[in-house]
Amino acid sequence: MKRARGDGERKSGTSKIAVDEADVSTAPRRHFLARTAGAWLGYGVLALLATWPLLLHLGTSCPGANEYKGNILYAETPAGLWNFWWFRTAIVDLHQSPFQTLHLFYPHGVNLWRNTSAPLLGVLGIVLQTILSLPLTFNLILLANLIASGLLARACALRLGASRSGAFLAGAVFAFSPAVLSHVYVGHLDLISTAWMPAALLLFLKLIDSPRLSRGVALGLVLVGALYTNQTYTVYALELLALTALVSWRRLRSSAHAVSLAVGAAVALVCSVPFIVNWMAAEGGGARLANPKDLDLFSGNLVDFLRPSFMNRALTPLFDALMGPSRAVPQEATVFIGFTVLGLSILALLRRATATRAVMLGGSIALFFFLLALGAHLKIGGLVTGIPLPTLLETRLPFLRDLRVPGRHAIPAMLGFGLLAGFGWDRIGSRALRFALAAALVIEFFPAPMPLMTAAVPDVYHRLASDPRSFAVLEVPFGVRDGFGIMGKPDSRQLLGQTVHGHPILAGSVSRTTKELWQALAEPPVLYTLLQPNGPIRDWEANVARDKRDGPAWFLKNQVLAIVIHPEARNGPEEGYLQSVLPIGKRESFPDGTLLLWLADGK
């Protein structure tokens, strides 16, 4: 087998699993750190390049864009910042559970167990916020997730026998794939926490080679960590383990394996009980379920797997001209494999010398999750064939019905493609060709510059923070949103404003609400009118009579004393309507055009 000179590669054409350099039990700690320092540095540099120019604004801005070509993306960056703020506020300041809040959807509040709160990250955020600002906390955790994903995917490739350079490539393909970076683009911090999947795979591979109780316990804890970060990735991790077990079933038949896996399962189950019980209890008001059409809307098709991501400013215009623009939701249907990765994967699969358990595993992972990423029905370009696919069955199974975004399966698929690409890389002996392939991969994958959202807030929020009274805030435009729908005109920047003023707000944006809460949000006077699809002009006469009669009493009863009219709503129908039905006692104007209305509370 031909090898690149000086690469220090292992022979990967044998079924024997190579010694993992990440296994500290076989090397002194200093030696392990020295040998992995280059990988840490390499992935750190790639993380900074992929998120550029974030490095220049670490303490003031975070990745996120709320719009793409005129279409609203509903960026989650403000919600992610809010989650960190709320965990600290709830636990440190209010001494209450962070999984229930009256600060959103006031006065009803909302259960956050089914929200994408990433509680494990929230706890880490509490620690970091003691010395760091909120945006810096967000950014450092984001970058750490990208680096950890690369390192753990690399460790998996090393365990399976890849060379150091091939393993580094495997980690880079997984951690910085367009499927992952598309979620950086909109600030989905929980979905950027992809490291749990290769961590589970790595521990399972080690357990297969040498079953130990400690490895079973560690595997169980990793699954728990995934559950308390992103429940979708827990499912993906379990599917990864099942695929690995099928490929390696001949080596899993000993009693030692059974005992280690049983211990791991017990640890995972015991630690998961609080989450599972509360998660199921959060459906008490009747869970809102996804529209079956979402399974096709939020998924890729055969064309999209060959279409560079919407973030790629160099290649996307060319491919849009050749194929026509994609009609999918961009951040949820980015499933681009990469021509370089695809070519290297094919090379690994075609070379009979590499037809080992490692390549079989990588190919199985890539194919399985590739099929699931296609959605409920096979689509080719704009044609929905109606041919059912495995996702249709998966989302009908208990506990899996919330997996309404099949396109996210592209993320674990890229772990499989990354492993294949790493072994394909090891088949190439020419340094010049390797350099060309690395350059092509950078061009295909990297989206820089990454759009940033400022963490600075308008002056009106600082004015609200300066008022010592306890009151709630209504903001216009007004709207509410969960993962299945919207009412009114929701704006997640209001969550960011709350991290400054700290008062309850009537608006809100969470992943899941119950049917009961969703109906209750539109019942109060005035709010019902503002949430109408066409604004307060619809049924004006009927609404104005009701709101004049019941509105003032409801607002005063619930201490909703402040109304913020943002510049885009100034002199609009909502502002005029509110001033006509509510007793306004004081008005304050701000240089940016914001208007703050204080209700006359009779005091």
Side-chain angles (χ1 to χ4, degrees), residues 439-457:
L441 185 60
V442 170
I443 294 173
E444 291 176 3
F445 271 24
F446 278 78
M450 182 68 69
L452 302 179
M453 298 183 71
T454 179
V457 299

Side-chain angles (χ1 to χ4, degrees), residues 361-545:
L361 177 59
S364 299
I365 293 171
L367 178 61
F368 176 77
F369 288 104
F370 171 91
L371 289 175
L372 290 177
L374 287 172
H377 302 92
L378 179 63
K379 302 183 295 299
I380 305 174
L383 174 65
V384 180
T385 66
I387 300 174
L389 294 173
T391 294
L392 194 62
L393 173 62
E394 182 186 56
T395 53
R396 291 180 178 178
L397 297 175
F399 301 107
L400 299 183
R401 61 186 182 186
D402 273 355
L403 300 180
R404 70 185 190 97
V405 187
R408 294 175 184 173
H409 288 96
I411 296 175
M414 291 308 295
L415 177 57
F417 280 112
L419 293 174
L420 290 176
F423 289 109
W425 176 272
D426 287 344
R427 306 278 70 77
I428 298 174
S430 169
R431 291 187 177 182
L433 181 56
R434 284 186 170 190
F435 179 83
L437 290 173
L441 185 60
V442 170
I443 294 173
E444 291 176 3
F445 271 24
F446 278 78
M450 182 68 69
L452 302 179
M453 298 183 71
T454 179
V457 299
D459 290 341
V460 66
Y461 292 125
H462 295 284
R463 169 66 182 91
L464 293 172
S466 69
D467 195 308
R469 294 177 297 170
S470 296
F471 58 87
V473 181
L474 168 66
E475 298 186 58
V476 178
F478 174 65
V480 294
R481 182 171 76 91
D482 71 358
F484 297 139
I486 64 174
M487 287 191 291
K489 302 174 182 177
D491 186 344
S492 61
R493 291 176 299 176
Q494 297 174 12
L495 277 68
L496 184 58
Q498 190 181 58
T499 67
V500 172
H501 65 71
H503 296 286
I505 60 175
L506 279 63
S509 175
V510 295
S511 303
R512 300 291 184 268
T513 59
T514 63
K515 295 177 182 178
E516 181 182 73
L517 174 59
W518 194 252
Q519 294 167 358
L521 292 173
E523 291 178 353
V526 181
L527 303 188
Y528 167 86
T529 306
L530 294 175
L531 292 174
Q532 294 304 302
N534 297 322
I537 297 177
R538 183 181 180 184
D539 299 328
W540 180 281
E541 295 299 332
N543 289 338
V544 73

Side-chain angles (χ1 to χ4, degrees), residues 60-81:
T60 58
S61 299
C62 301
N66 201 43
E67 184 179 90
Y68 177 73
K69 290 188 176 180
N71 297 317
I72 297 178
L73 298 181
Y74 295 108
E76 296 292 340
T77 303
L81 290 165

Side-chain angles (χ1 to χ4, degrees), residues 198-237:
L201 177 60
L202 176 63
L203 284 169
F204 193 42
L205 291 172
K206 289 186 175 184
L207 189 149
I208 291 173
D209 293 340
S210 178
R212 302 176 189 172
L213 292 182
S214 60
R215 287 177 174 173
V217 171
L219 180 58
L221 291 177
V222 163
L223 294 175
V224 172
L227 183 68
Y228 283 90
T229 304
N230 182 286
Q231 296 75 58
T232 297
Y233 290 165
T234 310
V235 176
Y236 293 173

